[in-house]
Amino acid sequence: QIDARRGQGVSRRNSAAGGRQTCALPALCTVELGRRGELSAHGRAGQLPVTVSEAQLQSRYPLTRGGLAILLGQLAHDGWVDRHAGQGWTFSPLLTSPDALLQASRSRMVLEIAALKEPGYGLAPDALARCREAERRIEGTPPAALHARGVRFHQTLAAGSHNRFLIDALNRIHRLRTALPHAAIQDPARVREQAADHLAILDALARGRTRHAVTLLRRHLRTAHDDLEQALALNRLRQPT
């Protein structure tokens, strides 16, 4: 198993010892991070073949061969691409398939609720404090940062389960979500509603009211799922026939 660590590349977990070992996937530099965003946007828009060769990518994006290899390794780790059985790379259907997006959303509803129901569930006070601070500082935050803050909130909730299988499954979904635009973060009123939901869930957990937190989280995830369904339906209507 491997984990991305900001500014430190990727580390490999040693499940038996609970430690980490260095893995040969260095962190992306600023240029590669920019290309990462371009690749996901172009993949979603259908501007790239479903299966693309490294030569095609290198001719389109000004990256060195080594930089492209690093970028593809990170994208594969995050579940955006898979190495093709023949030659080249295949984009994940989650980037372009409405059905896959909805499946991921339904999976989150199952897994995140299960995480809060794990025996011994609990978040450390410092984790609760960090989440609260992030939710109280949303005004003026760029959309990408708002999306990242939402991902961190849900990752923190999952971490309180101490169930590595649930955490890993949810982290995979969240890594894929970083490639996707989210209409709700463009709506200030919806952002404030999300922050209020997050704070209510945190308050319930801080008071030891886990069952109430489960109810609040289920409602929050259902609303997010309904938003996604509506956005996908609007996208279908806007597509030329």
Side-chain angles (χ1 to χ4, degrees):
Q1 297 287 338
I2 50 182
D3 285 328
R5 305 180 75 184
R6 180 171 293 184
Q8 300 177 31
V10 173
S11 65
R12 183 178 298 278
R13 285 196 304 274
N14 183 331
S15 299
R20 282 182 167 85
Q21 299 172 340
T22 301
C23 179
L25 282 178
L28 296 176
C29 70
T30 303
V31 173
E32 290 153 0
L33 283 170
R35 301 306 171 206
R36 175 189 176 101
E38 284 184 71
L39 267 171
S40 69
H42 294 163
R44 287 195 309 270
Q47 296 175 8
L48 291 171
V50 174
T51 299
V52 62
S53 71
E54 293 184 21
Q56 287 174 303
L57 291 174
Q58 202 167 357
S59 67
R60 178 160 184 165
Y61 304 100
L63 287 168
T64 64
R65 186 173 180 179
L68 180 61
I70 293 169
L71 176 59
L72 289 170
Q74 290 278 19
L75 294 178
H77 168 248
D78 289 350
W80 297 11
V81 297
D82 292 304
R83 186 179 287 280
H84 196 258
Q87 185 180 9
W89 297 80
T90 301
F91 282 93
S92 167
L94 184 58
L95 295 179
T96 56
S97 166
D99 287 341
L101 290 172
L102 292 171
Q103 287 171 8
S105 178
R106 289 193 295 271
S107 296
R108 283 185 63 206
M109 286 192 280
V110 172
L111 294 170
E112 291 198 35
I113 294 300
L116 261 65
K117 291 182 174 182
E118 275 292 284
Y121 181 91
L123 288 177
D126 60 334
L128 286 167
R130 284 195 300 272
C131 285
R132 280 198 180 106
E133 182 65 17
E135 299 304 323
R136 290 168 178 159
R137 298 178 62 181
I138 60 172
E139 296 299 330
T141 303
L146 284 173
H147 185 62
R149 140 263 181 195
V151 169
R152 285 194 298 272
F153 170 81
H154 288 281
Q155 286 177 320
T156 301
L157 287 188
S161 71
H162 311 294
N163 182 320
R164 176 49 60 187
F165 297 97
L166 286 173
I167 293 169
D168 282 353
L170 283 165
N171 279 344
R172 177 173 173 80
I173 293 172
H174 289 312
R175 287 195 298 268
L176 282 163
R177 286 178 65 214
T178 62
L180 305 172
H182 203 298
I185 62 175
Q186 307 291 343
D187 180 356
R190 185 71 187 96
V191 169
R192 287 191 289 271
E193 289 175 11
Q194 289 178 342
D197 285 353
H198 290 178
L199 287 169
I201 293 166
L202 293 170
D203 287 344
L205 291 173
R207 292 185 172 94
R209 301 181 62 198
T210 306
R211 291 180 63 182
H212 183 51
V214 166
T215 299
L216 294 174
L217 179 60
R218 182 180 288 112
R219 184 175 63 194
H220 174 73
L221 293 174
R222 169 52 65 182
T223 299
H225 183 78
D226 291 345
D227 286 345
L228 177 61
E229 280 191 316
Q230 184 177 15
L232 292 173
L234 287 173
N235 285 341
R236 283 194 294 270
L237 290 174
R238 290 170 182 160
Q239 289 176 354
T241 56

